[in-house]
Amino acid sequence: MTTPVWRDPSRSVDERVDALIEELDLEEKVAQLGSYWKRPKIGDAEGFAPMQASFEAGRDPFEAAVEKGLGHLTRPYGSAALDPAEGVANLRRLQQTVVAGSPHGIPALVHEECLTGLMAHGATTYPAAIAWGASFDPELIGAMAARIGEDMRAIGAHMGLSPVLDIVRDYRWGRIEETMGEDPYLTGVLATAYVRGLQSAGVIATLKHFAGHAASRAGRNHAPVSIGTRELHDIDLVPFEMAVRQGEVGAVMNSYADLDGVPPAANRWLLTELLRDAWGFDGTVVADYWAVSFLQSMHRVVEDDRAAAVAALSAGLDVELPETTAFPHLVDAVREGDLEIEVLDTAVRRLLRQKIELGLLDPDFDPAATGEVVDLDPAGNREHARRMAEESIILLDDSGALLPLDAEDGPTSIALVGPAGLQPRSLLGCYSFTNHVLSRLEENGTSVDVPTLTAALGAEFPRAAISAVAGCDFTGEDASGIAEAVAAAEASDVAVVAVGDIAGLFGAGTSGEGCDVEDLRLPGRQHDLVEAVLATGTPTVLVLITGRPYAVGEYVGRAAAIVQAFMPGQEGASAIAGVLSGRVNPSGRLPIGIPDGVGGQPGTYLAPVLAWVSEGISNLDPKPRFPFGHGLSYSRFVYSDLELSATSIAPDGTVEISATVTNESARDGREVVQLYLSDPVASVVRPLKRLVGFTKIDLPAGESARVTFRLHADRTSFTGPDLRRIVEPGEFVVRLGCSSEDVTLEGSFRIDGEVRHLVEGQRVLDTPVEVVAASSPAGRVPELNLS
């Protein structure tokens, strides 16, 4: 029997796609752009996705839904508590059914969530994405993503719905934990590393949510986004362009929230003219769950699902997820002349290309042998999760000179107070399997072993008696346990108060999708608990285990030390205990500011004068208590000898900015060297400063390193008065230091010449950096260059 051209691996991908397109009938083509979510009902819990209940009625059974084939299988591992062996067996059955239903025997592409690791029962739970931002370490993130990809590929999954590139505006928004913070360059560098890591394992990464999702009004999930074109281009689109052009990502997912009245799922300028035509994206655009139907039910820009399907496909959205609710209408739309067959074929080609590249259409692909039974939480994964947790913990304050606590000759009694000290779920993000799925079951527990902070402190301080008292829960008004917590603190040498968040979905937690808040006070009665313990006079370490930043102004100067841990994952408790003991030298830095007061939102460090200065203008001071980039260390780093290679460059030139960083302490440490740019006079209002370069370096005690950033003129560009991107002549100020507010080293250069207009999709996006150890001039650290 002759092998069809589309099954022949010796043929080019284009030849195979063309051949298969010719053989598919209209219904088969539309089926390839659809999906199915075979999901169980979990008790009385709300759904996994917004408005899920409204789509339950009238669903076709799986076998009927795949009679003409299927594009995607939605989350076969991430929807039920199946161990790896059960999950593999389940996927085999699903793929066999899809192949049997498809007239041409085409398997489905399998997608899963992978924001805190593969979201499957028994898979390693890494720190939440906000902790990736705190690490400031793209190499670490890339290595994590490669591990996730290897696990996914081993069990038959092909696409991961991560990373999230949303740029935080309002700290009340519930999904902050899914982001990498409030800076577009930091997010872009880390996201690009993640994309490269995941795709190195043969798994497609998916950028989300394109675009502007986090700028929703009042920090409410799905609320409209009213930012202007300039802000969209200069902030929200930056990390997406980096991950598309430099990471060569394979998929993009739309945002739910409308952009100035236009839903992204129906925005042709966004999905086609910008993403594909200008940036060169050649992958698939997939719908966020039910986003196509939301065009009618939530946005009300079309009359029905048929119009929604035509609008989405015409805009450039290729695949409907998590199941096919609107796209079946495309068959009649084509037959009746409302949609050109060429538009449909274009989307089908994109999806078939990915299936061919993944090997799904090769003759040796066997759906009955899909996946392997593997250990999804091996020692190597756990070790990497531990390192990531340690790199992300931030020492905000040690004004009481209490830390580190000596494990041998330090406190003989420690009171561990607060719900986060006893509940392991507090360490995990919303998109962990534990919080996303198991938390809805009566016998929930955790998907993998997650030691509590109580256990970690006991192991870290074996000579100390540990008294663990919750004091209160994460939510609710019950404060009856605070008296017991106070008694424990009064009877101890040191109190560790561990408070913060419990992740959940749609109001079932204090952080996570649909868990938005009114202000930035600690949830429930946790503020009262902190106040009660501080009033005892016992030296207190405040440990914040959270998915968002909470106001700490009332505690600074009263707590001896404050530690911020952004949902550090399954190995997070040990990392926190290590920071407290000094076994771990903290090197995390803030990817988002920590506010002083509970109100005054929204506001981030990317602010112009009138959003930053209050004197004589407003009674509200928007400045954070701890700024973006801040973080203390048990080492002491000193910056010196700033040097710029030129005082003037051309509008397409480059300037090198160098400084020496010295570890003047007796302890080895890691420092995040940060480069900020200011544009004092511009033709449009600009932020006072913005991050344009960074690197994380290892510095042994007493050693120095020379750090050099190569800043191209394109990195000064912005969207000008006529909404075209320009490099504008004038003076630019650079600051090199340890946070966005560090002004230790400051210099300036000029761009001389005419205004230079940049072509969309062709500008320089990154700032390469070189690190040379001063004690060994020949020894060089590989430069960060994402070009």
Side-chain angles (χ1 to χ4, degrees):
M1 182 176 178
T2 304
T3 301
V5 170
W6 54 270
R7 281 206 184 275
D8 185 353
S10 69
R11 300 295 191 106
S12 71
V13 174
D14 287 339
E15 287 179 305
R16 296 174 71 183
V17 170
D18 289 344
L20 185 52
I21 281 280
E22 287 297 317
E23 293 192 20
L24 298 181
D25 64 27
L26 179 58
E27 287 83 357
E28 287 180 273
K29 290 178 180 179
V30 171
Q32 286 301 310
L33 304 183
S35 56
Y36 197 90
W37 192 0
K38 195 172 176 61
R39 57 188 184 274
K41 180 173 175 57
I42 298 184
D44 296 324
E46 292 295 325
F48 295 117
M51 308 296 292
Q52 178 177 317
S54 63
F55 295 95
E56 296 290 350
R59 296 177 74 218
D60 285 336
F62 180 59
E63 291 74 12
V66 301
E67 284 182 351
K68 283 290 187 174
L70 190 69
H72 276 235
L73 276 168
T74 294
R75 284 169 50 174
Y77 289 95
S79 303
L82 306 175
D83 65 33
E86 293 170 328
V88 167
N90 177 58
L91 179 56
R92 286 172 179 161
R93 291 190 296 269
L94 294 174
Q95 284 283 35
Q96 285 177 302
T97 304
V98 171
V99 170
S102 168
H104 285 81
I106 302 173
L109 189 152
V110 176
H111 76 256
E112 295 285 349
E113 297 283 1
C114 56
L115 189 56
T116 64
L118 169 61
M119 199 180 79
H121 195 32
T124 305
T125 305
Y126 295 95
I130 190 65
W132 311 352
S135 78
F136 274 76
D137 193 332
E139 181 180 351
L140 196 65
I141 306 310
M144 173 198 67
R147 288 181 173 275
I148 295 170
E150 289 164 3
D151 290 342
M152 294 180 69
R153 191 66 175 171
I155 61 172
H158 311 111
M159 176 184 285
L161 303 187
S162 184
V164 171
L165 280 66
D166 301 328
I167 303 303
V168 173
R169 298 300 207 295
D170 192 321
Y171 301 160
R172 298 171 299 179
W173 192 53
R175 305 190 76 169
I176 285 177
E177 62 169 78
E178 300 177 44
T179 77
M180 286 166 264
E182 66 187 37
D183 183 81
Y185 184 65
L186 173 64
T187 297
V189 170
L190 299 182
T192 300
Y194 182 99
V195 167
R196 288 175 170 172
L198 194 76
Q199 295 190 165
S200 72
V203 173
I204 298 169
T206 308
L207 309 182
K208 58 186 189 182
H209 306 88
F210 191 57
H213 192 48
S216 56
R217 292 179 194 165
R220 290 183 63 252
N221 194 36
H222 291 204
V225 173
S226 303
I227 59 177
T229 300
R230 180 172 293 103
E231 185 174 354
L232 178 69
H233 277 275
D234 290 348
I235 295 181
D236 297 87
L237 294 176
V238 170
F240 286 97
E241 183 178 359
M242 293 177 71
V244 168
R245 290 180 50 207
Q246 298 176 324
E248 298 181 330
V249 73
V252 172
M253 176 179 277
N254 71 280
S255 164
Y256 284 126
D258 73 79
L259 276 172
D260 193 25
V262 182
N267 190 331
R268 182 170 177 80
W269 169 81
L270 186 69
L271 301 184
T272 297
E273 295 173 19
L274 179 70
L275 180 63
R276 296 188 185 279
D277 298 345
W279 294 353
F281 175 70
D282 61 1
T284 54
V285 175
V286 299
D288 205 344
Y289 287 12
W290 290 295
V292 178
S293 289
F294 284 172
L295 292 175
Q296 186 278 322
S297 62
M298 305 301 290
H299 295 296
R300 303 186 182 185
V301 295
V302 293
E303 291 185 357
D304 52 31
D305 268 355
R306 172 173 163 159
V310 171
L313 195 74
S314 300
L317 193 150
D318 302 308
V319 181
E320 184 179 16
L321 302 181
E323 52 200 14
T324 323
T325 58
F327 272 20
H329 296 288
L330 293 173
V331 174
D332 287 341
V334 171
R335 286 175 174 162
E336 296 173 15
D338 293 330
L339 179 71
E340 295 181 357
I341 188 66
E342 290 80 11
V343 175
L344 178 71
D345 284 353
T346 296
V348 176
R349 286 177 185 279
R350 293 167 183 157
L351 189 278
L352 292 179
R353 170 176 288 275
Q354 290 187 332
K355 288 190 175 184
I356 290 170
E357 291 173 342
L358 289 164
L360 272 64
L361 301 188
D362 290 352
D364 60 353
F365 179 82
D366 182 3
T370 295
E372 302 175 11
V373 180
V374 297
D375 180 2
L376 296 177
D377 189 31
N381 281 11
R382 294 194 300 273
E383 170 62 22
H384 197 78
R386 177 199 60 78
R387 185 182 167 202
M388 285 191 63
E390 291 177 354
E391 294 282 328
S392 71
I393 306 294
I394 305 158
L395 178 58
L396 294 180
D397 183 45
D398 190 27
S399 55
L402 181 63
L403 297 181
L405 301 171
D406 193 316
E408 295 294 326
D409 300 318
T412 59
S413 57
I414 299 174
L416 176 59
V417 171
L422 286 74
Q423 172 56 267
R425 285 181 53 206
S426 179
L427 301 163
L428 312 179
C430 171
Y431 272 79
S432 65
F433 192 87
T434 293
N435 284 332
H436 210 84
V437 179
L438 287 188
S439 64
R440 282 97 176 298
L441 304 178
E442 291 184 6
E443 299 178 3
N444 41 55
T446 57
S447 174
V448 290
D449 182 35
V450 185
T452 64
L453 187 54
T454 304
L457 286 183
E460 196 77 26
F461 299 94
R463 296 176 180 269
I466 309 294
S467 302
V469 181
C472 64
D473 205 345
F474 294 94
T475 59
E477 293 301 315
D478 184 2
S480 60
I482 292 180
E484 182 185 0
V486 167
E490 290 176 332
S492 301
D493 295 335
V494 171
V496 175
V497 181
V499 291
D501 282 320
I502 187 90
L505 288 168
F506 310 115
T510 63
S511 174
E513 186 172 359
C515 295
D516 312 314
V517 296
E518 293 178 346
D519 61 36
L520 299 176
R521 187 179 297 276
L522 286 167
R525 300 300 295 272
Q526 292 181 92
H527 168 72
D528 298 329
L529 176 64
V530 175
E531 287 288 350
V533 174
L534 291 177
T536 66
T538 300
T540 298
V541 181
L542 178 60
V543 177
L544 300 162
I545 304 177
T546 71
R548 67 161 56 81
Y550 285 102
V552 298
E554 296 178 73
Y555 314 135
V556 175
R558 298 165 63 208
I562 303 177
V563 174
Q564 174 68 59
F566 286 116
M567 291 183 172
Q570 68 182 64
E571 301 298 322
S574 174
I576 294 169
V579 168
L580 298 185
S581 73
R583 172 176 56 82
V584 175
N585 191 354
S587 64
R589 301 295 182 262
L590 286 174
I592 189 168
I594 301 292
D596 186 53
V598 300
Q601 289 295 303
T604 73
Y605 96 99
L606 289 171
V609 173
L610 289 177
W612 194 253
V613 174
S614 293
E615 186 175 354
I617 297 172
S618 171
N619 62 312
L620 296 178
D621 186 352
K623 297 186 189 67
R625 172 60 71 159
F626 297 106
F628 175 89
H630 169 78
L632 303 179
S633 169
Y634 296 142
S635 303
R636 180 172 179 267
F637 301 105
V638 175
Y639 290 71
S640 62
D641 302 324
L642 177 69
E643 181 180 3
L644 276 67
S645 62
T647 57
S648 174
I649 63 172
D652 60 354
T654 299
V655 60
E656 294 190 350
I657 302 150
S658 304
T660 298
V661 185
T662 303
N663 183 349
E664 292 194 347
S665 71
R667 174 157 189 177
D668 297 349
R670 302 198 78 197
E671 172 70 332
V672 177
V673 183
Q674 303 163 46
L675 177 67
Y676 293 88
L677 177 75
S678 299
D679 187 352
V681 179
S683 56
V684 300
V685 175
R686 301 290 293 140
L688 287 168
K689 66 272 183 182
R690 60 185 178 94
L691 183 74
V692 292
F694 68 91
T695 185
K696 195 167 192 176
I697 61 174
D698 292 287
L699 268 184
E703 296 292 320
S704 298
R706 190 71 176 168
V707 180
T708 300
F709 294 93
R710 293 199 296 275
L711 186 75
H712 192 277
D714 286 8
R715 303 287 287 116
T716 72
S717 69
F718 57 89
T719 303
D722 61 358
L723 299 183
R724 291 191 294 171
R725 180 166 291 278
I726 59 174
V727 174
E728 193 170 67
E731 181 188 22
F732 295 87
V733 176
V734 291
R735 287 190 289 106
L736 200 151
C738 61
S739 83
S740 57
E741 293 301 293
D742 182 7
V743 294
T744 303
L745 296 181
E746 183 175 287
S748 66
F749 66 94
R750 291 190 59 81
I751 292 179
D752 290 323
E754 300 296 321
V755 172
R756 176 168 159 254
H757 291 87
L758 303 185
V759 176
E760 185 71 64
Q762 296 184 20
R763 63 179 167 132
V764 174
L765 294 169
D766 64 338
T767 306
V769 57
E770 183 179 59
V771 181
V772 179
S775 58
S776 178
R780 294 175 180 266
V781 176
E783 66 179 33
L784 170 65
N785 188 343
L786 299 177
S787 301

